[in-house]
Structure formats: C-alpha cells, structure tokens
Amino acid sequence: MPDTDFTLQYELPEHKVYVFSDRERMEQVLGNLIINAKRNVTSGGVLKISLTEQQGNLFFSIYNEGRQIAQEELPKIWTKFYRHKNSTYSGSGLGLAIVAQILSMQNLDFGAENREAGVAFYFTIPIMK
C-alpha cells in the first residue's frame, strides 16, 4: 500500500458553496473515502478529489488510479465486513458500509464506478440557496 507515492490532484468550485449536513458525519464519510482511495491507488498513480456544482447539487468524487472493481462486486463493497478475496490490506471492512449508512440516512445519492484506469467513489448533496 503506498503511503505517499501518488500524485494528489483536486478540483474545487471558484466560489464558496454551502450545504446543510451533519458536519461530524460528513467528515467521517470523507475520511473513509480518502483512506479507501489511498489504500487502492497504484504506486505512482493519481488520487483526485473533485467538488463540482451540478444541477443544484454539490457533486463530490474521489478517484484513484488502480485496480478496477469487478462489476458484480460493486454493489457488495457497501456491505459490512465485505472484503474482496484478493484484498492485500488489513482493516475491519466497515469503512464503506459506514459511508453508505451515513449517506443513506441523509437520502443522498452515492455510488462507485470504474473508470478507464481506476475507480471513482461519489455522492451528491443539495446546495443551500
């Protein structure tokens, strides 16, 4: 698992954007997603965090270059204690399950998708008007 051997990229809105959420829980979501991305980024790869405005929502995405997740495995990654049989790192298997629970409790859309050279995890949250 690379600790520092990756390039961090980010994309942020040009102006302040406000959302209404439970700050502590959202910090937990972001922390878990970032830890997951760090664990899975390819050595020398890119880890990119993006916050963009899309149709009245703040779209958060964290992408890591690395091994893709098999399509049939994608729904399972949100399950408590789930670990892919070829997983090489230790952990409880609760991080993504906690993310899913917190985002579901707030009725926020979230998911994960394979990209050309890695995986992106994402969620949306309404922007306050």
Side-chain angles (χ1 to χ4, degrees), residues 3-88:
D3 284 326
T4 57
D5 187 20
F6 61 87
T7 301
L8 177 64
Q9 298 176 352
Y10 60 91
E11 177 182 10
L12 301 172
E14 294 293 322
H15 56 279
K16 290 183 180 182
V17 178
Y18 296 93
V19 298
F20 181 77
S21 72
D22 181 326
R23 182 179 180 158
E24 286 182 29
R25 293 291 179 222
M26 291 311 290
E27 286 175 356
Q28 191 173 13
V29 165
L30 297 174
N32 286 355
L33 290 175
I34 290 168
I35 287 168
N36 184 69
K38 271 185 68 176
R39 285 183 174 160
N40 290 288
V41 67
T42 302
S43 182
V46 171
L47 189 152
K48 183 175 181 180
I49 300 171
S50 300
L51 286 107
T52 56
E53 291 181 71
Q54 296 181 7
Q55 301 171 342
N57 291 304
L58 186 62
F59 182 79
F60 175 88
S61 171
I62 184 160
Y63 164 80
N64 63 274
E65 280 186 341
R67 183 174 53 91
Q68 293 183 334
I69 301 169
Q71 282 302 122
E72 64 273 6
E73 300 286 317
L74 280 173
K76 297 175 185 177
I77 63 175
W78 307 105
T79 306
K80 287 180 188 176
F81 308 115
Y82 175 77
R83 291 165 72 119
H84 186 270
K85 62 184 175 192
N86 296 330
S87 179
T88 58

